[in-house]
Amino acid sequence: MTMTAFTKKLRNARRLAYALALASSVAPQVLAADTDTLVIARSMDVNALDPARAFCDTCQIYLTSVYDTLVTLGKDNKSVEPRLAKSWEINADQTVFTFFLDTKAVFSDGSPVEAQDVKWSLERLKNIQGSPSFFMDGVKSVEAKDAATIVVTLDASNGEFLNKLTAGFTGIVNKDVATANGATADADAASADKAENWFLANSAGSGPFKLTSYRPDDELRLARNDAYWGVAPAFSEVVFRQSQDAVSQAQMLESGDADIAMQIDFDTAGSLGTDEVKTEVIPSYNFLYIAIGAGAKSAPIPMTPDIREAIAAAIDYEGVIEFTVGGQGAKQSSPIPNGFPGTAGLPERKRDLDKAKTLLAKAGVADGFEIEAVYPNDNIYGVDINLMMQKVQQDLAEVGIKVQLKPSTYPVWRDQINGDGIPLTAVYYAPDYYGSGQYANYFAMMPGTSWSKRAGAANDPSVINPKEAELLAKALAAPAAEQEGIYHDLGLEMMKDNIIIPMVSPNLVLAYRGDIEGVRYSACCNLPLADISRKK
């Protein structure tokens, strides 16, 4: 059976599964539209609800709804706009950022947001040493000049620092409330902070919503913050309900059990046949990728540059896009997404089986080898990761690489990837702000980055690429007109690493009930809840 025939058969199976699932739903429904509650169906990947520890797509939505940041991203997904800071000043070499707080801003308990809260929150983010702590890389000091003035000094020029502060992970926490419940921003916060569990049941922000309750793999519930200092959100309550796959999410949407479904794939979207449900397909900056753990303890052979390049050359990228999203997506060359600075003109990744076989022979494994692939068994951005990995398995088999697929829960995957490592994995990424530096800080093979650690640099130092740190520093210090070319060179280096190999940048399906308006995609906030309302 050809890939096209198989894909058509798969799509028909998905549509049939959706139709059967909807037909079998005979229980009486309590419609989301009957209440002042916004219900969102999604597969929740929550690792924490603490701004200094959380790092996931659901976390991104949650944090930007509960914790205001100093600045935020405009609807154009590029411009920076005031939030807690009503204005700011930046010195000529972009090393000193002075923010002037809006004195109207208050936390959910009614207490004012002050410079001491900003200082404490940013220092805690840095000292917790959690997944989002890289947002504070390069911060030399944070000073509260007075109650409404905060000065951040960097150790080097950084033209992206203001953009970084639009990310929800830099949200400002009520210092007094958090410290009373075990939080600390001291230098030893990584070991001394005891507030992680408290944040799973409580919030201490100044955003339009506040946390009501969270049940892992079940439900996340928010309530309107009645003390909110900005424009009050339309809904008194927002509920995220765990729904693992596109079919079940679509079923909830059509039956009225959900107002928004966040991970509808393109085949299922085509089956949503009522006038009461709207779907929009738009480009996104999101992408899915495979990653090679060169220093993983269970790596079957040394994952040398030749082996990694062979794996990259064996992938049928067009086929992956067709197989996973029916062509509703784009190839992505480097770990910097299409449309970000430096990506224009990067060479396309192309399949070359002869090259892959030659490289394997050069590495002494002409007959191939077996490798274990552990990855989250999730549906994200309309892509079923398990199906994507089945296609990767099929492609690599053509050059003798036998892939053992081991889908896992996200928490189990996270523990393994951050522990002994995984030889071959697959996962996803959404932007935290508009700027290419974030991708270098997360994906580049520089000492201390998340993926240099996950790739096993401690066991295989050869994965470190010294050129990348030099290029990143140069880009951050350069005038805006010169950054494009430098980031282009950085993208080329990250491609050469062949540690992070993008598979597909899928278009995004926005699926929601017909009486819902204001649904949009944001590069910093994913889904801005405060913008959403129900038509009267």
Side-chain angles (χ1 to χ4, degrees):
M1 182 182 296
T2 66
M3 180 54 63
T4 300
F6 182 80
T7 303
K8 289 180 179 178
K9 184 176 180 180
L10 177 64
R11 289 180 190 164
N12 291 334
R14 286 173 174 166
R15 289 171 177 161
L16 178 60
Y18 170 69
L20 291 174
L22 187 60
S24 66
S25 179
V26 297
Q29 304 292 335
V30 179
L31 299 184
D34 292 340
T35 70
D36 189 25
T37 298
L38 178 70
V39 179
I40 300 170
R42 67 169 291 127
S43 177
M44 291 189 285
D45 52 346
V46 173
N47 71 309
L49 295 180
D50 179 345
R53 293 182 169 98
F55 203 66
C56 68
D57 282 7
T58 307
C59 309
Q60 194 177 49
I61 304 169
Y62 168 76
L63 293 176
T64 51
S65 302
V66 173
Y67 296 92
D68 277 331
T69 48
L70 285 171
V71 292
T72 192
L73 195 63
K75 291 184 179 181
D76 63 359
N77 274 329
K78 294 183 179 181
S79 59
V80 177
E81 298 180 351
R83 193 65 169 226
L84 287 174
K86 62 182 179 181
S87 61
W88 53 86
E89 296 174 354
I90 306 171
N91 71 341
D93 66 357
Q94 303 181 101
T95 58
V96 180
F97 294 73
T98 303
F99 299 93
F100 304 98
L101 301 181
D102 192 323
T103 55
K104 299 190 301 292
V106 295
F107 290 109
S108 58
D109 66 355
S111 61
V113 179
E114 296 182 333
Q116 65 165 349
D117 300 295
V118 178
K119 172 180 169 65
W120 184 88
S121 298
L122 297 183
E123 289 178 343
R124 181 171 181 268
L125 174 60
K126 182 175 185 176
N127 292 332
I128 283 286
Q129 298 177 29
S131 293
S133 292
F134 70 88
F135 284 97
M136 292 296 102
D137 286 352
V139 173
K140 184 177 180 180
S141 67
V142 183
E143 181 183 2
K145 298 287 287 187
D146 56 49
T149 308
I150 192 84
V151 179
V152 181
T153 302
L154 310 182
D155 57 19
S157 179
N158 189 337
E160 276 189 8
F161 184 69
L162 194 65
N163 299 60
K164 289 172 73 172
L165 295 179
T166 66
F169 310 102
T170 67
I172 305 307
V173 180
N174 188 324
K175 172 188 175 183
D176 292 340
V177 171
T179 54
N181 289 280
T184 178
D186 292 345
D188 63 350
S191 58
D193 188 279
K194 306 300 180 186
E196 183 172 8
N197 288 335
W198 182 84
F199 277 104
L200 289 172
N202 305 273
S203 60
S206 61
F209 294 95
K210 57 184 180 180
L211 177 64
T212 299
S213 63
Y214 169 60
R215 296 196 300 268
D217 298 319
D218 181 16
E219 181 181 274
L220 174 63
R221 190 174 290 263
L222 312 181
R224 180 192 289 136
N225 173 13
D226 292 331
Y228 186 51
W229 59 286
V231 177
F235 291 96
S236 64
E237 187 176 47
V238 177
V239 180
F240 294 85
R241 288 186 178 149
Q242 170 67 22
S243 182
Q244 184 66 27
D245 56 71
V247 169
S248 60
Q249 289 182 21
Q251 182 182 355
M252 290 177 67
L253 193 61
E254 276 210 317
S255 66
D257 271 353
D259 294 301
I260 299 172
M262 293 203 68
Q263 291 142 326
I264 298 293
D265 61 42
F266 300 95
D267 294 326
T268 305
S271 302
L272 292 172
T274 72
D275 295 334
E276 297 178 339
V277 174
K278 290 186 176 181
T279 58
E280 299 177 53
V281 178
I282 61 173
S284 80
Y285 298 128
N286 306 331
F287 66 99
L288 293 94
Y289 57 95
I290 62 171
I292 299 172
K297 291 186 178 179
S298 59
I301 60 172
M303 305 300 286
T304 64
D306 285 339
I307 294 293
R308 303 198 301 266
E309 188 176 359
I311 290 173
I315 301 293
D316 172 15
Y317 298 96
E318 289 85 357
V320 169
I321 295 171
E322 178 65 26
F323 188 64
T324 56
V325 294
Q328 289 282 357
K331 287 198 290 185
Q332 182 174 312
S333 299
S334 81
I336 304 173
N338 303 330
F340 272 54
T343 57
L346 286 175
E348 281 193 0
R349 290 187 179 270
K350 296 181 180 179
R351 191 180 206 199
D352 188 335
L353 291 177
D354 290 338
K355 178 180 180 181
K357 292 174 182 177
T358 298
L359 287 165
L360 290 174
K362 179 182 175 184
V365 286
D367 295 328
F369 56 92
E370 293 187 7
I371 190 169
E372 182 178 273
V374 181
Y375 51 89
N377 186 20
D378 215 340
N379 182 303
I380 195 76
Y381 317 140
V383 176
D384 185 321
I385 298 179
N386 200 44
L387 288 175
M388 184 182 82
M389 289 306 292
Q390 289 175 24
K391 176 69 172 89
V392 171
Q393 180 188 51
Q394 179 183 12
D395 289 350
L396 295 185
E398 293 189 47
V399 295
I401 301 175
K402 303 175 182 64
V403 180
Q404 302 173 25
L405 301 182
K406 293 194 173 183
S408 173
T409 64
Y410 188 88
V412 170
W413 170 85
R414 184 182 63 238
D415 289 345
Q416 187 170 345
I417 195 73
N418 292 328
D420 291 341
I422 299 172
L424 180 65
T425 190
V427 70
Y428 50 89
Y429 198 84
D432 300 306
Y433 61 90
Y434 183 77
S436 298
Q438 65 184 297
Y439 296 94
N441 280 317
Y442 191 64
F443 291 116
M445 293 300 104
M446 303 185 301
T449 66
S450 292
W451 269 106
S452 70
K453 294 175 184 177
R454 290 174 170 181
N459 297 327
D460 184 1
S462 69
V463 303
I464 297 296
N465 184 341
K467 292 182 180 179
E468 291 171 352
E470 296 172 8
L471 286 167
L472 178 60
K474 185 178 178 181
L476 294 176
E482 298 176 13
Q483 289 180 0
E484 180 77 24
I486 302 169
Y487 278 124
H488 181 86
D489 292 342
L490 179 56
L492 288 172
E493 290 299 324
M494 294 169 76
M495 289 182 69
K496 292 176 186 176
D497 293 336
N498 284 313
I499 293 290
I500 306 297
I501 306 172
M503 293 289 100
V504 56
S505 176
N507 293 337
L508 184 66
V509 177
L510 300 177
Y512 51 94
R513 298 286 297 179
D515 63 340
I516 296 296
E517 55 188 357
V519 177
R520 68 179 177 89
Y521 168 70
S522 169
C524 78
C525 314
N526 197 318
L527 180 69
L529 298 183
D531 289 357
I532 301 172
S533 61
R534 196 185 300 279
K535 296 176 183 177
K536 303 297 184 183

